[in-house]
Amino acid sequence: MKKNLLFPVLALVILSACSPDAGTPAVYLTGINPETEDVPYMRFPFRIGLSDSVAVMLDLAADSCFYHVVSYPDFQYLYSLGKRGNGPGEIILPTPFQLHGGHLFLFDGNRSNIFDMNLSGKQNTGLEDYIHFNDLSTCVDFVRIDDTTFLMGDLSGRNRLLRVTPQTRTGILDLPGESAGENGADHGYIWRSYMDMNYELNKVALVTQYGAVLEIVDLNDWSVIRTVGKAGFPRSAKQHVAEYYDVKWRKNDIYALYSDVSETESNRQRAGDQKSLSGGDRVHVFDQNGVMTKTYHLDVPINGFTIDEKNNLLIGISSNSDWPVYIFKLD
């Protein structure tokens, strides 16, 4: 019998800032655009991740396969997977993927299916059905907590997050009340967020797609630290003036990809026949307490990124050039 449990978080700390990067060191980075052959054309390159000697790339608007696997660091094409469709091993609504222990975890946000594939052999062994969750609302992102437990955004508006297993569904956190005039599914929609898990700290970092909110959820006691930037809380899709595009933990720090190009400016670019660039060109670095310590300024906007810890590289993926990968050397 399925259980549906709802409970509020135990503690909440809110850090507000008029400008989260004011007074913090700024570092300017220039990306190198490596070229390779044979990788299928990607209509909207959106995410990239590393697992040992392979990289996985997500094409959010693919007309065939959503995910492409290449060797790393030479970016030679290996295979594609996650074909668009509703058959076995196919994806209807792709979401950002998770890499853990040499395995690729995918979530079909439409059918509520988790898929799993072992990446260690550099061969396409096919996606396997891992877990199916019944009656979940459409999900934007997720993190794997353990073999059977996942944390997902709740777009129904009833909770901030859902902690789900095949047998249980637990509502975590109330949506903040500062989003006046928004309720229900609309409220949940404008608070949709990207997330990443730090397994050593047992914490999850979330960043909002609209506004400028970073949340750090401690899974040990379900306490939350919330840092609010100058753009404030999410309001509505038509009024946003800033947005986060991706978030990653790097040891005990949080790297969050950010843009503050307003929709007004984006519309002005289109009206003037200027190409509207997609993605963020700043990476805000926070400590585990939500305090900003540094801002990286990138010379090209990217939609997502991963970090090569061994070689101290930030590897971004962009829809603003023919070959989407950019490599930035971190200080």
Side-chain angles (χ1 to χ4, degrees):
M1 180 177 179
K2 183 190 301 181
K3 299 179 181 178
N4 188 12
L5 307 176
L6 302 176
F7 61 86
V9 74
L10 298 179
L12 174 66
V13 177
I14 299 179
L15 304 178
S16 298
C18 294
S19 178
D21 54 353
T24 60
V27 179
Y28 293 82
L29 303 179
T30 300
I32 298 173
N33 188 214
E35 296 183 3
T36 189
E37 298 178 356
D38 301 328
V39 176
Y41 173 74
M42 287 184 280
R43 299 173 64 186
F44 193 76
F46 189 63
R47 284 293 184 270
I48 188 167
L50 295 180
S51 179
D52 296 324
S53 60
V54 300
V56 181
M57 299 184 290
L58 164 61
D59 179 3
L60 199 62
D63 56 5
S64 180
C65 291
F66 289 109
Y67 303 90
H68 305 295
V69 180
V70 299
S71 58
Y72 180 78
D74 56 0
F75 294 99
Q76 296 302 305
Y77 175 69
L78 296 175
Y79 56 86
S80 300
L81 66 154
K83 183 180 179 181
R84 178 186 288 273
N86 58 8
E90 296 180 340
I91 303 290
I92 297 176
L93 179 62
T95 65
F97 53 84
Q98 296 287 312
L99 296 167
H100 186 76
H103 283 251
L104 169 67
F105 293 93
L106 307 179
F107 181 69
D108 186 330
N110 184 275
R111 293 189 294 174
S112 303
N113 279 4
I114 296 283
F115 296 97
D116 168 40
M117 195 180 84
N118 191 334
L119 293 172
S120 61
K122 290 190 179 181
Q123 295 179 349
N124 187 356
T125 57
L127 293 176
E128 297 182 2
D129 285 332
Y130 188 70
I131 294 178
H132 176 74
F133 303 108
N134 292 318
D135 303 324
L136 280 180
S137 60
T138 300
C139 176
V140 172
D141 204 357
F142 73 102
V143 293
R144 173 191 175 278
I145 296 177
D146 57 38
D147 287 345
T148 60
T149 309
F150 294 79
L151 199 66
M152 302 177 177
D154 183 5
L155 298 191
S156 72
R158 290 186 290 270
N159 309 282
R160 183 73 179 92
L161 298 168
L162 289 174
R163 181 180 180 272
V164 294
T165 72
Q167 294 80 33
T168 65
R169 184 180 311 172
T170 305
I172 307 294
L173 289 172
D174 292 329
L175 282 167
E178 288 84 344
S179 298
E182 302 288 351
N183 52 60
D186 289 341
H187 195 175
Y189 179 80
I190 65 170
W191 272 89
R192 65 191 191 275
S193 301
Y194 300 119
M195 60 186 76
D196 194 37
M197 174 89 181
N198 185 314
Y199 290 94
E200 292 186 2
L201 297 177
N202 203 29
K203 294 182 178 182
V204 173
L206 300 98
V207 291
T208 56
Q209 285 185 260
Y210 295 149
V213 181
L214 163 73
E215 292 165 301
I216 306 168
V217 182
D218 190 332
L219 303 189
N220 297 297
D221 58 8
W222 296 107
S223 60
V224 178
I225 293 173
R226 181 178 292 136
T227 298
V228 184
K230 65 179 180 180
F233 284 77
R235 297 294 174 175
S236 74
K238 295 182 179 180
Q239 298 173 348
H240 80 279
V241 296
E243 56 189 318
Y244 281 109
Y245 280 84
D246 199 1
V247 62
K248 293 290 184 294
W249 284 91
R250 187 190 185 199
K251 298 180 180 177
N252 293 341
D253 291 330
I254 300 164
Y255 285 55
L257 179 62
Y258 179 78
S259 170
D260 63 358
V261 176
S262 68
E263 184 157 327
T264 300
E265 172 61 18
S266 180
N267 290 336
R268 186 191 68 79
Q269 291 176 2
R270 285 193 291 268
D273 294 326
Q274 300 179 40
K275 182 180 180 181
S276 180
L277 299 179
S278 173
D281 60 358
R282 303 180 193 178
V283 177
H284 291 166
V285 182
F286 301 88
D287 65 19
Q288 63 173 302
N289 296 313
V291 177
M292 183 178 289
T293 59
K294 184 184 299 185
T295 297
Y296 288 106
H297 294 258
L298 311 180
D299 68 333
V300 60
I302 58 176
N303 294 324
F305 70 97
T306 188
I307 295 176
D308 179 345
E309 295 277 4
K310 181 179 178 180
N311 296 299
N312 203 30
L313 301 174
L314 186 148
I315 304 170
I317 192 164
S318 173
S319 55
N320 302 310
S321 66
D322 291 337
W323 171 238
V325 175
Y326 284 86
I327 299 177
F328 303 87
K329 180 67 174 179
L330 297 173
D331 58 337

